[in-house]
Amino acid sequence: MKGTATVVFNNGSSSTFQFPAQKCKKNGNKYTYDYKDADAAFALNNVAHIPEFTIKWDIKYEETGTWSYLADSKVPMYVTHKEPVLLTRPEHREPTKVYLTLLDIGCRNANGSSSEQLIVDQIFVKFESRDIRRVDGVGPIKYWGDPAVGGTAPACWQPSQMLKTLDGVCGGWAPFFENVLCIQGITSSKIVIPNWDFKLTNTQLNALMADFEAYFGQGSWNPAFPVTTDDVSAGPVAYFYIENWALSANVKFVVNDILNVVNGNPLWEPLTDMGIIPIAEGNGVSGQGNSDPRSEFSDHGFVEYNSRVYDPSYGESFESRDEWEASAVAGMGAILSLTLQDDSGNNRMLFINWVSVIEDSNIPGELKFD
Amino acid sequence: MKTLLESRLSATLLFVFCAFTTHAQRNGANFDCPACLKEVHFGGSKGNNYITIYDDLTDAKILPPQYVSDCESGGGGVKTNLLLMSVGVSPK
């Protein structure tokens, strides 16, 4: 018994693999062709996705001494750039594991490429579609698909769980993209975390209170900072706002899109400005599977490779950190809660944004990058 | 007693059946295939460098046929890229 497999690659080249003739074993209706070296190999470092690696089998019966076609055997095949690196990378919450979808995204999109930069760019094209699905077609996996639980659910930070829950935050999407690269043996990327220093300084806090009194009137209101799950031990959290927002220098407080709380119960409903505070948060920059994801954060996570920014959460890439900041960030400030009584007598708690700084694309580095 | 022609037809049917059931095997179904590709790998010796793949939903290892890694030559005494394969091994 002997076999022949011919593979045509994306670049038009082809390779033929010969499985040499050897006696096969027959056990009832089962024929076995044992381990045997073929006479060729795939090109070194060349990524390949072969939906059907087809081996044409021929058989020669001792009675006749002539070869004749037997059948084809077919199997899907993935060839990675290098040996996968399966470690827990920095800012990951689990080791990289070769899930079929992660392998498929890498090999399918970088099919035919051997240059590492080209492989990274071709894989990211898939993320730019903002339509990342499992191999079984289920999806898309969303970015902040459920804003009520996204930041607190551990599953949203782990690619292994994102494949199951179909939801992830930036702390999940950045490792998700890096895992696809690690499976291709590419490990020179890193996760970068932009932030506005996480916590307001005393100077910033004083500025906030001064703005508050100027806006609402001295002693009229008693704002509070909302409970946050972010990793800040104490004190008001410093936030930044991801586009799209309609901010202006003379409006220091706007309504954001977290949620309303009515009589102590979280309530998802169209935001109200109560006739006092403008709603400045518009439909956001589209994220993975979500045209209007959450847009205020104490930090973010994107992937940097070869000094270029790849932001898998939003499916966009940038020449530099400064270009990312100028394009993605609307401003910086803090989030407060403000309780008002509406016309029906309900105590309605609004989350409002203090706008301390409006992002100026001419001033690079207004955010920190850890 | 089967004639030679009948034997050939029987074998052909078995191999075609295998091609259609490859996906069932990938998903871990109990499957006894007469000609499934169990292992293909490059640049190393038999059995030491194919990649274990995990199912997205169950985390279970996806049973053979496995997928391949293109190992770098020169780094581990590897002189040539080899293609190894086996047929007729039932998944365990």
Side-chain angles (χ1 to χ4, degrees), chain A residues 1 17 19 29-38 40-46 55 57 61 64 68 70-84 97-101 103 134 163-164, chain B residues 2 4 7-8 10-12 14-15 19 22 26 32-35 37-40 42 46 49 51-57 59 62 65 67-73 81-88 90:
Chain A
M1 192 169 149
F17 307 93
F19 300 90
N29 288 328
K30 183 173 175 179
Y31 290 76
T32 300
Y33 179 96
D34 208 352
Y35 288 102
K36 195 75 176 175
D37 297 356
F42 290 119
L44 193 63
N45 299 142
N46 202 50
I55 304 176
W57 293 104
Y61 295 94
T64 64
S68 58
L70 183 61
D72 289 350
S73 63
K74 301 180 180 181
V75 63
M77 183 177 288
Y78 297 91
V79 182
T80 57
H81 173 59
K82 291 181 179 176
E83 193 76 9
K97 202 169 175 180
V98 186
Y99 287 99
L100 183 57
T101 289
L103 175 67
R134 284 200 313 246
L163 291 167
K164 301 166 180 64
Chain B
K2 284 184 179 178
L4 183 60
S7 297
R8 291 183 181 184
S10 173
T12 301
L14 282 170
F15 275 84
T22 296
R26 281 181 50 209
D32 183 24
C33 171
L37 187 64
K38 177 178 179 290
E39 178 180 328
V40 181
F42 301 83
K46 183 174 76 177
N49 65 339
I51 307 167
T52 301
I53 313 298
Y54 293 89
D55 184 89
D56 295 330
L57 286 175
D59 281 27
I62 296 177
Y67 303 91
V68 304
S69 161
D70 178 8
C71 298
E72 287 183 283
S73 61
N81 285 342
L82 304 174
L83 171 61
L84 308 175
M85 60 84 63
S86 164
V87 291
S90 299

Side-chain angles (χ1 to χ4, degrees), chain A residues 145-356:
Chain A
D146 185 348
V149 299
T152 57
C156 293
W157 296 72
Q158 295 173 302
S160 66
Q161 301 308 304
M162 290 166 60
L163 291 167
K164 301 166 180 64
T165 64
L166 306 176
D167 200 359
V169 297
C170 62
W173 276 105
F176 190 104
F177 178 54
E178 275 205 327
N179 280 358
V180 174
L181 301 182
C182 287
I183 289 170
Q184 297 298 324
I186 298 171
T187 57
S188 53
S189 66
K190 67 175 180 179
I191 293 177
V192 175
I193 302 174
N195 62 84
W196 202 43
D197 215 13
F198 290 104
K199 185 178 170 182
L200 296 183
T201 64
N202 286 336
T203 302
Q204 289 168 331
L205 193 56
N206 289 336
L208 186 161
M209 298 313 295
D211 284 343
F212 192 87
E213 290 189 355
Y215 193 90
F216 294 103
Q218 190 166 11
S220 298
W221 310 97
N222 184 25
F225 294 100
V227 173
T228 176
T229 57
D230 292 297
D231 185 24
V232 176
S233 56
V237 178
Y239 276 80
F240 59 90
Y241 312 130
I242 294 289
E243 296 285 12
N244 292 309
W245 292 72
L247 303 179
S248 60
N250 58 349
V251 179
K252 304 301 288 186
F253 294 92
V254 296
V255 171
N256 74 22
D257 69 345
I258 294 183
L259 75 169
N260 294 316
V261 179
V262 179
N263 295 331
N265 299 312
L267 182 67
W268 290 96
E269 62 175 20
L271 291 168
T272 174
D273 60 5
M274 301 292 289
I276 299 171
I277 310 165
I279 299 173
E281 197 272 341
N283 282 338
V285 173
S286 292
Q288 296 293 343
N290 187 351
S291 61
D292 188 21
R294 181 180 171 178
S295 56
E296 55 270 286
F297 303 97
S298 60
D299 63 11
H300 184 51
F302 57 65
V303 174
E304 199 170 59
Y305 173 82
N306 227 358
S307 300
R308 186 170 179 83
V309 169
Y310 297 82
D311 192 345
S313 300
Y314 295 92
E316 290 193 68
S317 65
F318 304 88
E319 288 294 328
S320 65
R321 298 175 181 184
D322 289 337
E323 187 185 280
W324 171 85
E325 182 179 316
S327 172
V329 177
M332 300 84 169
I335 298 177
L336 302 86
S337 64
L338 187 66
T339 301
L340 307 170
Q341 196 168 66
D342 65 19
D343 293 340
S344 303
N346 296 311
N347 284 325
R348 183 178 290 270
M349 188 174 79
L350 301 178
F351 289 104
I352 60 174
N353 294 81
W354 172 51
V355 182
S356 174

Side-chain angles (χ1 to χ4, degrees), chain A residues 350-367:
Chain A
L350 301 178
F351 289 104
I352 60 174
N353 294 81
W354 172 51
V355 182
S356 174
V357 177
I358 295 178
E359 165 66 22
D360 185 343
S361 59
N362 295 316
I363 305 175
E366 290 176 289
L367 290 179

